[in-house]
Amino acid sequence: MTALLAARGLRLAFGGVKAADGVDLDVRAGEHLAIIGPNGAGKTTFINMVTGYLKPQAGEIAFEGRPILGLSPRRIVRLGIARSFQLPQLFTEHTVLQNAALAVASRGTFWSAIRPLLDGAHVAEASELLGRFGLSDLAGRRADALNEGARKLADIAMALALKPRLLLMDEPTSGVAASEKMAIVETLVRVLREAGVTAVFVEHDMDVVARFADRVAVWNQGRISALGPPATILEDPAVQRDVIGIRVREGADAAA
Amino acid sequence: MSRRALLELVAALAAAAIVLLVAALVPWLRFVLTIAIAKGIAVLGILLLLRAGQVSFGHALYVALAAYAAAFAAPRMPEALLLLPLGALVSGAVGLVVGLFVVRYREIFFGMLNLALSMVFYSVLEKFYALTHGTDGIRLPAIRYVGTALGPEEAGWATLAVAILLALGFGAFVRVYLLSPMGEALSAMKTRETRLEFMGIPARRVLLAAYVLSAVMAGCGGVIIAMTTRHVTPALAYWTASGELVFIAILGGAGSVFGPFLGAFGYELTRTYAAALVADAWQMILGIVLLGVILFAPGGLWGMGRSALRRRPAGEGAA
């Protein structure tokens, strides 16, 4: 199977902290790849490097065989890589529908479009998209009036509106109430399978990973320490030690 | 056309008719109204920038640039319909060059850079006496309209008519622009500029387009002012003139294209009457009015009017 995205020898250090220390990672077309690992290991840094927000000190990244290192975030989006954010980046003074419609409009004949943003075509596509995410009832609400779960979904919907071939999601369920979490995951799995989009997601919740991922990469101290199907990786004693370590630390943070 | 757009069109035409009527009934107000509309057109540009959360404290630069361009060209080319595009072109071209630089900055830096550049231009106008006649300024000859020489009375009416047509045209354009993806991206910049980049939208170019448009509109306002007063001085570029435009924008409200014109009429009429009634204290009256607007009606005069309409019982033709 050919790699949609191929990263080779990525290195990036912030002072003494090695976020990436010689990372090789292939993302296969059509798969859902989870990246897990302790906080501060460099998982988000990987997304930032792929989307052009951060430039690695060494290494190469190729998307569909084409080198993308050094391109601006804008160019990379145009090539077909979209991202969502750990903290949803919505236009808070606009409605959910306007947010989605602007994302739809940004894809196409944006500069020539002097017709209203909220005209038939943009609205139809944006409404249909929000419907797939179960957000139809909230379409008329201002984006800053949503709960965290809906904001997360709207954020991902905006990324998906760009019709990417690769979608990078930074902790799609963090900050969401535990009771809502699995419902959001079910929505995401369904929508992304329907769209047939390749997805990479950073995640801390192993239940989400088990439900969502085709493959799991363990990012530890700037390296990929394990890579494979979830059944194998999540049972791996070394991984369990890392993963359990996260859980204990997060629990301790919450208690503190 | 939506019902709301139709309603706004009718309101705009009615407002234009009222302006003409007032100018006919109170002849000495015609001058004040023309200046108010010219400033309203310039403030439309300020409104575009406000949508992106940016305030320029230097847009008098573009008013003055176009006014001086008109003053220099008028002796050889005393035709209103040529001076207006010339002023718009000069201001737009300088706006493009300056814009490429200032759109890299945000908020206070954006505002102050604009202020600094406008004050540089003010100094140039003041010091290069041989060319600009310094603070004495330059007088414009009588202007022709479509090749016709008019008496002072007719010329006044003609300038007012041109101003009203431009205001209607630019008002309609800005209204369409703000509802287009370009305009929505402009207001999206205010809340999440980085997201725009991750959507493939070049935020700086969105702001640059708005900046150039704002310079063009300020330029048209400047030419109308030059044709109305027939005398341009460096005071047009002074920082208080830039502040005046921001003042009018806030007074009128940034929520609608009607705001800048409501603000401009409010400002010019308050100034005229306050100056006549309490000659030494008119700035104080304006200050109190602005304070009141900021504290009690952040949506400006437009916002006040709209909420008054909305408070009426439903079904009574609320907009």
Side-chain angles (χ1 to χ4, degrees):
Chain A
M1 196 185 279
T2 54
L4 185 68
L5 185 86
R8 292 286 173 273
L10 291 182
R11 274 176 214 284
L12 181 59
F14 301 103
V17 180
K18 286 175 178 168
D21 187 17
V23 168
D24 298 333
L25 185 61
D26 281 354
V27 181
R28 298 170 181 165
E31 75 171 339
H32 291 174
L33 174 70
I35 301 178
I36 63 172
N39 284 320
K43 305 183 297 295
T44 299
T45 300
F46 177 71
I47 291 185
N48 285 336
M49 287 190 290
V50 173
T51 52
Y53 192 67
L54 288 176
K55 197 170 188 295
Q57 285 143 351
E60 288 168 23
I61 303 176
F63 178 64
E64 296 176 332
R66 179 191 167 153
I68 59 169
L69 220 57
L71 299 183
S72 68
R74 220 162 63 216
R75 292 283 308 281
I76 290 173
V77 170
R78 296 266 175 206
L79 291 176
I81 300 179
R83 70 166 296 180
S84 70
F85 298 81
Q86 183 180 359
L87 298 173
Q89 300 286 305
L90 304 175
F91 304 121
T92 47
E93 291 183 4
H94 288 78
T95 65
V96 176
L97 185 64
Q98 282 174 319
N99 271 273
L102 194 56
V104 169
S106 73
R107 198 182 66 223
T109 53
F110 184 72
W111 290 100
S112 62
I114 195 67
R115 60 185 184 181
L117 173 67
L118 294 181
D119 81 343
H122 296 141
V123 162
E125 189 181 334
S127 306
E128 189 269 334
L129 182 70
L130 293 176
R132 277 192 271 154
F133 278 88
L135 295 170
S136 294
D137 294 345
L138 303 173
R141 287 254 206 111
R142 256 173 65 132
D144 56 1
L146 303 180
N147 68 29
E148 189 64 12
R151 293 195 324 138
K152 286 280 199 187
L153 284 177
D155 191 63
I156 296 168
M158 284 174 75
L160 205 62
L162 307 173
K163 295 229 164 117
R165 291 188 293 289
L166 175 63
L167 176 63
L168 306 168
M169 292 181 285
D170 195 356
E171 306 205 16
T173 67
S174 75
V176 175
S179 55
E180 284 184 74
K181 220 168 205 175
M182 281 331 266
I184 286 182
V185 173
E186 292 307 324
T187 304
L188 278 180
V189 171
R190 177 173 49 75
V191 173
L192 295 183
R193 292 274 179 234
E194 280 169 10
V197 64
T198 308
V200 173
F201 64 108
V202 170
E203 186 53 70
H204 281 298
D205 188 317
M206 292 311 131
D207 295 335
V208 173
V209 172
R211 173 71 187 88
F212 203 166
D214 302 315
R215 285 200 305 159
V216 180
V218 181
W219 196 294
N220 208 351
Q221 295 182 331
R223 291 176 166 276
I224 308 276
S225 63
L227 178 66
T232 322
I233 296 293
L234 299 181
E235 297 305 318
D236 183 331
V239 173
Q240 276 191 338
R241 196 181 56 228
D242 293 337
V243 169
I244 289 162
I246 298 165
R247 283 188 175 154
V248 170
R249 262 205 300 281
E250 281 188 342
D253 284 350
Chain B
M1 193 184 280
S2 73
R3 188 166 161 271
R4 182 167 172 178
L6 198 67
L7 213 67
E8 290 194 18
L9 179 67
V10 171
L13 292 174
I18 292 170
V19 168
L20 286 171
L21 190 68
V22 171
L25 293 175
V26 194
W28 64 272
L29 268 183
R30 191 183 61 215
F31 177 86
V32 176
L33 291 172
T34 311
I35 296 292
I37 294 172
K39 286 181 181 169
I41 292 170
V43 174
L44 267 180
I46 302 282
L47 177 135
L48 281 183
L49 300 176
L50 278 177
R51 281 295 168 102
Q54 307 306 319
V55 184
S56 164
F57 291 110
H59 257 52
L61 166 67
Y62 301 107
V63 174
L65 257 173
Y68 268 84
F72 280 123
R76 262 150 287 165
M77 193 176 78
E79 169 58 56
L81 298 188
L82 293 176
L83 291 177
L84 273 165
L86 174 78
L89 194 71
V90 169
S91 286
V94 174
L96 178 63
V97 174
V98 171
L100 282 169
F101 167 60
V102 296
V103 298
R104 306 170 73 89
Y105 298 87
R106 295 290 174 273
E107 295 174 358
I108 191 71
F109 303 102
F110 178 88
M112 288 296 125
L113 274 172
N114 276 292
L115 174 69
L117 289 165
S118 73
M119 287 310 286
V120 168
F121 185 62
Y122 170 79
S123 303
V124 169
L125 291 178
E126 204 185 25
K127 304 293 179 197
F128 285 70
Y129 190 88
L131 197 64
T132 65
H133 301 285
T135 46
D136 295 345
I138 303 173
R139 285 202 63 81
L140 278 81
I143 306 294
R144 291 164 180 269
Y145 291 81
V146 208
T148 317
L150 301 172
E153 183 70 9
E154 290 78 20
W157 280 108
T159 312
L160 177 61
V162 168
I164 288 176
L165 287 176
L166 274 177
L168 290 172
F170 278 126
F173 173 78
V174 168
R175 191 185 182 282
V176 170
Y177 188 84
L178 288 176
L179 291 175
S180 77
M182 280 283 277
E184 294 285 4
L186 201 59
S187 50
M189 258 185 86
K190 190 175 160 187
T191 47
R192 289 274 184 268
E193 185 170 344
T194 33
R195 181 65 188 247
L196 284 180
E197 293 286 332
F198 282 110
M199 282 163 51
I201 299 176
R204 276 185 195 164
R205 269 183 255 165
V206 169
L207 185 57
L208 180 63
Y211 191 84
V212 173
L213 282 173
S214 73
V216 166
M217 286 187 261
C220 287
V223 176
I224 294 170
I225 290 172
M227 294 194 306
T228 308
T229 58
R230 290 191 43 204
H231 185 210
V232 296
T233 66
L236 283 171
Y238 199 55
W239 64 269
T240 52
S242 294
E244 201 178 83
L245 299 178
V246 177
F247 185 121
I248 291 172
I250 294 169
L251 181 66
S256 157
V257 293
F258 287 99
F261 297 101
L262 283 173
F265 288 130
Y267 178 84
E268 289 296 327
L269 292 175
T270 308
R271 188 163 85 155
T272 306
Y273 282 101
L277 293 172
V278 274
D280 298 327
W282 68 268
Q283 283 110 330
M284 191 177 82
I285 293 178
L286 275 176
I288 291 168
V289 168
L290 187 65
L291 209 60
V293 165
I294 289 172
L295 289 177
F296 303 113
L301 294 175
W302 166 255
M304 279 161 76
R306 198 182 50 176
S307 53
L309 275 176
R310 285 204 174 147
R311 240 175 271 131
R312 286 160 54 185
E316 239 185 273

